[in-house]
Structures are given as structure tokens and as C-alpha cells.
Amino acid sequence: MCGVSAELMTLRSPLGVLTVSADAGVLLGIRFSSTDFGRRPAAPALQSLANRLKAYFDGDLRALDTISVDPEGTRFQREVWKTLHRIPAGQTWSYAELARAVGRPDAVRAVGAANGANPIPIVIPCHRVIGADGRLVGYGGGLERKRWLLTHEGVKLPAYC
């Protein structure tokens, strides 16, 4: 985002430390991080985002639904990321299903690449996309985090996952 002066904060979560960036209450990014900036006072808008993330991790699976996001990406990536919001907590889609929902059924690899480039994991639920055979594949935060998120949301994973 050219010219945007993002605010940053770190948040401890069951998945480790998250670095959250936002501008005027609009979420720009979440990164899995090894750096914890410690407990500094956060701007009210950032604190509100942190509270919603905490509520999600505490079990309120709808706490993230109304967070405003503005991910930086191509028009195609942004369309894929927008479509991800249609996958409810507790459900999964295959990459082929996601490609069909985007209106590009023959672009499964491109959809997978866009899914993998998601700058706002958890809130833009790229973790809800799995392989056609039900296996957990491709998650920038690692498959253990993907497994944790899906289990947290009540997805019954096959034993081989």
C-alpha cells in the first residue's frame, strides 16, 4: 500500500506470536513471527483487532467475520481472497472448488498460488482450503498451524492428516 503508514503490534496466540499491521482500523496483514515487540499500548483500532483475534482463539468463531481488510495484491488475488470469505468456519473447500467459485475452474494452480500469497491469514481463511483428497496441503504458516486452525473450527480431519 503506497503511502500507507501502518501501525504494528504483536499478539501472542495459540499459534505463536502474530505481527498484526493495520491502518485506521483496517487490517493490512498478519504474519507468523518470531519477534515479540512486547506489551506496548496499542492504538484503539489495533486493540479492537487484537480483541477480536483473541475472541476467535477463545472460541468465538464469528469474531473475525466483520473485520475490515485491505490486502495488497493483484486483481485476481484479491478476487480469490474475497471468495475465501464464503467458506464458513468449520468447513473446507478443495482448490478445485475454490477455482470454480472464483469463476476460473481451469485455473486451479493459479488459485492455489493466490491462496498461498494471502497476506492476512486466519482472517482471510486460506487455511480452509485443502487438497482434493482431503489432505492438508500448502499453508504459509506450516501445516501444524493449519491443522490447529481447522481443528479449532471443528473440522473433523481424516486420520492420515
Side-chain angles (χ1 to χ4, degrees):
M1 311 240 48
C2 289
V4 172
S5 167
E7 302 172 84
L8 294 175
M9 78 175 299
T10 55
L11 174 69
R12 292 178 186 98
S13 80
L15 302 174
V17 176
L18 304 176
T19 299
V20 178
S21 62
D23 182 51
V26 176
L27 185 59
L28 304 174
I30 294 178
R31 282 188 344 219
F32 298 104
S33 180
S34 59
T35 304
D36 187 342
F37 300 134
R39 303 295 294 166
R40 296 186 303 182
L46 259 181
Q47 191 57 55
S48 174
L49 289 170
N51 290 343
R52 290 200 240 168
L53 283 162
K54 182 180 181 325
Y56 168 82
F57 288 124
D58 287 346
D60 179 359
L61 301 181
R62 302 203 47 100
L64 308 179
D65 289 353
T66 59
I67 292 177
S68 294
V69 298
D70 189 11
E72 186 173 345
T74 67
R75 184 179 349 203
F76 177 72
Q77 288 172 325
R78 291 169 70 90
E79 183 62 30
V80 170
W81 301 333
K82 180 181 174 184
T83 304
L84 287 169
H85 281 289
R86 293 176 28 202
I87 309 172
Q91 293 184 23
T92 59
W93 288 3
S94 69
Y95 288 93
E97 288 173 295
L98 180 58
R100 284 192 298 275
V102 170
R104 304 271 304 271
D106 296 328
V108 175
R109 287 182 188 258
V111 164
N115 194 59
N118 175 15
I120 309 176
I122 305 167
V123 176
I124 297 178
C126 56
H127 61 277
R128 296 178 188 155
V129 182
I130 60 173
D133 64 356
R135 291 185 190 270
L136 301 185
V137 293
Y139 189 66
L143 292 182
E144 285 304 315
R145 286 184 175 122
K146 184 171 189 165
R147 179 178 291 108
W148 189 94
L149 287 163
L150 291 173
T151 302
H152 176 66
E153 293 180 356
V155 173
K156 302 293 183 221
L157 298 171
Y160 58 81
C161 284

